[in-house]
Amino acid sequence: MAADFQLEVEDLRFRYGSREAVAGVSFAVRPGEIFGFLGPNGAGKTTAISCVCGLLGGWQGAMRFGGETFRPDLRAADRRRIGLVPQDLAVYEELSGRENLLFFGRLVGLAGAELTAAVERALELTGLGERADDRVGSYSGGMKRRLNLAAGDLHRPSLLILDEPTVGVDPQSRNHIFAALERLRDQGRTLLYTTHYMEEAERLCDRIAVLDRGRLIGLGAAAELAEQAGVPGADLEQVFLRLTGHRLRDSA
Amino acid sequence: MKLLRDAWLIAAKDLRAWRRDRTGLLFGLLLPIALVTAMGFLAKVLYGGGGPMGRTDLWVADEDRSEASADLLAALRAAATVRVRPGPEAEPLSVEEVRRKVEDASAHHALIVPAGFGEELAAGGLPELRMIRDPGRRLEDTLVSLALVQAYMAISEGRSWPAMMGRQMEALGLEPEQAQAVVAASESVRALIERFLPGGDEEPEAGGAEGGAAAGTGFDMSAFLTGMVPVAAEDIQPPGRPKELGYMQAQSVSGMVVMMLMFGLVACGSTLIVEREKGTLTRLLAAPVSRDSILLGKLFFSAAVGLIQLSLLFAYGELLFDLATFRDPVTLLVLMLSLTAAVTGFGLLVAVLARTQKQAEGVSTILILVMSCLGGAWFPIQLFAVPTAVEVIMRLTLTHWAMTGFQNMFFHQKSWHDPATLPAVVVLWGFALAAFLAARAIYHRRLASAS
Ligand SMILES: Nc1ncnc2c1ncn2[C@@H]1O[C@H](COP(=O)(O)OP(=O)(O)OP(=O)(O)O)[C@@H](O)[C@H]1O
Ligand SMILES: [Mg+2]
């Protein structure tokens, strides 16, 4: 089964103190697919991702990567297989875009010509152009978002995890990010993608996991989800509300 | 009206936030309280009861061993400005022994009462005393002079007052005959005073505290007093020390350097908190680097800034004050490294303990100011007689050891491996090591509990 899945997560649980943020989630990501993580605020998406990225330790359950035991919280080498684009902007405002990319590139172990090439590729991806050497503090929100994205993909990790990369950007930046992600997909890269935007998920994702209150309440391609939800042919927005919008369903 | 209402809305919101912000409270209220308490307590300890100023150590060697010399020592013990060493019960020291003390900087003033002192005094003369001293200890010199004048007057029961005045008159440029006339006049005044004050209980020169004020008007009280009592001074100071460098100056330059370094490096350590607050720590933690490397990165950053800051400050101090800073570069480097290590450890400890940047700032400011005060960075607290409890607290501050090291280098011209300096170096590294280990343990525990 090693070749079938890249990342496998089994019965993942994590609690902040007494609050169980992730309560037994299982899913597996196939090589070369864009896997969507959908769910309302507080569903546990970021928490689950943080476990996969090694930001959080002390979770329960099992993870495998390429068929092997995966402990990103304990092993730095395991963390290198994953690239993270955090939900909150995580770039240094005092440095230039290029300096940020150089720093994060070095942090994942790139050097020399490889580093230079990675930074050039990332700058192209961000479309920062001649602003690359300006301080990030002077960038627009969209520019920062694009930089935030590029900084996570410098070493072309086996799995790139994006936590709501299009939050708070204008349609132009959003389209730019979209185009970039589609290009990555066409290159055969594997992505795990979190979002609130249904049309994004529908357009990009091969399969989608719907999370609510720390539990998985649906998993499959958009059409499969519609069938699971008992609304075949409906669009993802309807499916999502059907699955998660308890109050709406109750009042209907 | 709308303007005022809106302003109040905003103010009320801010007040509410402020009330919830424990750091803000700490900063705004507790800091001044802590400072006032510390300073008030210190002032009470230092200046309360025991006279206008603290006492300074005066070592004595009595070669005369007469009744008069014993009286002189007793009078010195009664003086408010000095603490005569060795104590009355302890074994008396020889001239050689007290000289060695000044030479190795464990004493700054040593008084020698020469043989024949008692006889000459009984004959109505002004027998000369000898003083072995460190000329850089100007503040202490004044205190010692005050005590000497007091004691000298006391043992001669005022009889030597006219002779002392005469000495001063001559020193000020009067012809010997004129001086003689002044002496005669003083004699008659004294006789007059004695007739009306049968107790003869004079309070000689009680205005010691005014000495400083008088100096401000251009009249050097210290020089005047020193001139009154015949003392042959022998100055002993380390050959490398610049002539102009006083103890207080060395103290205040080192003190400000130490304090500013602490502020600087706490800010460096706090970048760990800033990264957490800004989200960039997430990236660092998700990167394929060990957790320790992140903490160590902060340590290196802080240490580098510390060494740069110290180099700049000392170079600046050297330009401004001529401290002979670079006389012993190895010792300077050892002290700089030790201090930077200790302060970096302190900064990291603050950074891993504090929940927010503001909290780190507030707590560390209080700690730094209190430690600076107790450690002698503001004024030479080590020269004052403080109760044992305060002494113990002083020795618990890293500032105290830093100041000890720097004073030994600047003023006493000692190298880093001198028995007086080595303990300071060792203690600073001890501080550093303990702080690093504690910071690391807390950092890992915090990461594991993931907040
Ligand atoms: N550091 C934390 N300490 C305590 N509770 C937390 C912490 N982070 C998240 N939580 C809680 O865990 C639950 C899941 O949060 P999480 O951020 O994983 O949700 P999410 O699906 O990413 O939401 P969003 O769409 O808003 O980003 C929420 O109830 C949240 O309040
Ligand atoms: Mg989230």
Side-chain angles (χ1 to χ4, degrees), chain B residues 390-407:
Chain B
V390 179
E391 179 92 27
V392 168
I393 298 173
M394 274 164 58
R395 279 164 194 273
L396 286 176
T397 64
L398 73 88
T399 34
H400 169 82
W401 298 98
M403 293 304 297
T404 305
F406 282 122
Q407 270 300 25

Side-chain angles (χ1 to χ4, degrees), chain B residues 71-150:
Chain B
D71 286 348
L72 179 72
L73 296 196
L76 280 173
R77 287 187 206 286
T81 54
V82 296
R83 181 172 41 208
V84 175
R85 312 280 302 269
E89 262 86 59
E91 194 70 18
L93 296 183
S94 72
V95 176
E96 273 327 297
E97 282 167 322
V98 293
R99 164 173 286 110
R100 222 169 304 126
K101 280 198 168 295
V102 179
E103 278 167 356
D104 72 10
S106 56
H108 45 79
H109 277 81
L111 177 73
I112 292 150
V113 186
F117 175 84
E119 273 174 35
E120 200 179 333
L121 193 73
L126 266 184
E128 194 171 60
L129 295 165
R130 279 166 57 205
M131 185 72 76
I132 302 171
R133 63 177 187 184
D134 181 334
R137 305 296 286 256
R138 285 162 216 153
L139 175 70
E140 291 81 355
D141 208 52
T142 308
L143 297 178
V144 168
S145 298
L146 283 171
L148 266 182
V149 171
Q150 246 179 58

Side-chain angles (χ1 to χ4, degrees), chain B residues 188-206:
Chain B
S188 46
V189 171
R190 185 182 69 82
L192 205 67
I193 291 174
E194 276 192 349
R195 190 169 324 144
F196 289 103
L197 293 170
D201 203 35
E202 60 228 279
E203 265 285 309
E205 292 300 312

Side-chain angles (χ1 to χ4, degrees), chain A residues 12-88:
Chain A
L12 181 70
R13 292 165 188 276
F14 185 88
R15 43 175 66 246
Y16 296 104
S18 62
R19 176 187 293 139
E20 191 158 47
V22 177
V25 168
S26 303
F27 62 92
V29 180
R30 296 185 182 128
E33 78 172 338
I34 298 189
F35 188 90
F37 238 43
L38 232 64
N41 289 127
K45 304 182 294 292
T46 300
T47 306
I49 281 175
S50 298
C51 294
V52 173
C53 293
L55 293 173
L56 294 175
W59 41 264
Q60 291 177 316
M63 287 198 241
R64 279 187 297 281
F65 203 100
E68 289 165 25
T69 309
F70 188 58
R71 287 308 301 266
D73 52 330
L74 301 181
R75 295 196 293 249
D78 282 0
R79 288 200 287 278
R80 197 171 194 281
R81 315 185 82 162
I82 292 197
L84 172 67
V85 178
Q87 178 170 359
D88 301 316

Side-chain angles (χ1 to χ4, degrees), chain A residues 54-56 76 79-80 84-86 89-92 103-104 107-108 148 151-152, chain B residues 275 278-291 447-451:
Chain A
L55 293 173
L56 294 175
R79 288 200 287 278
R80 197 171 194 281
L84 172 67
V85 178
L89 283 176
V91 286
Y92 296 99
F103 171 71
F104 289 121
L107 204 63
V108 290
N148 194 44
Chain B
E275 296 228 29
K278 294 236 161 141
T280 44
L281 187 63
T282 303
R283 270 239 148 83
L284 302 187
L285 290 172
V289 297
S290 82
R291 271 54 170 136
L447 283 183
S449 74
S451 53

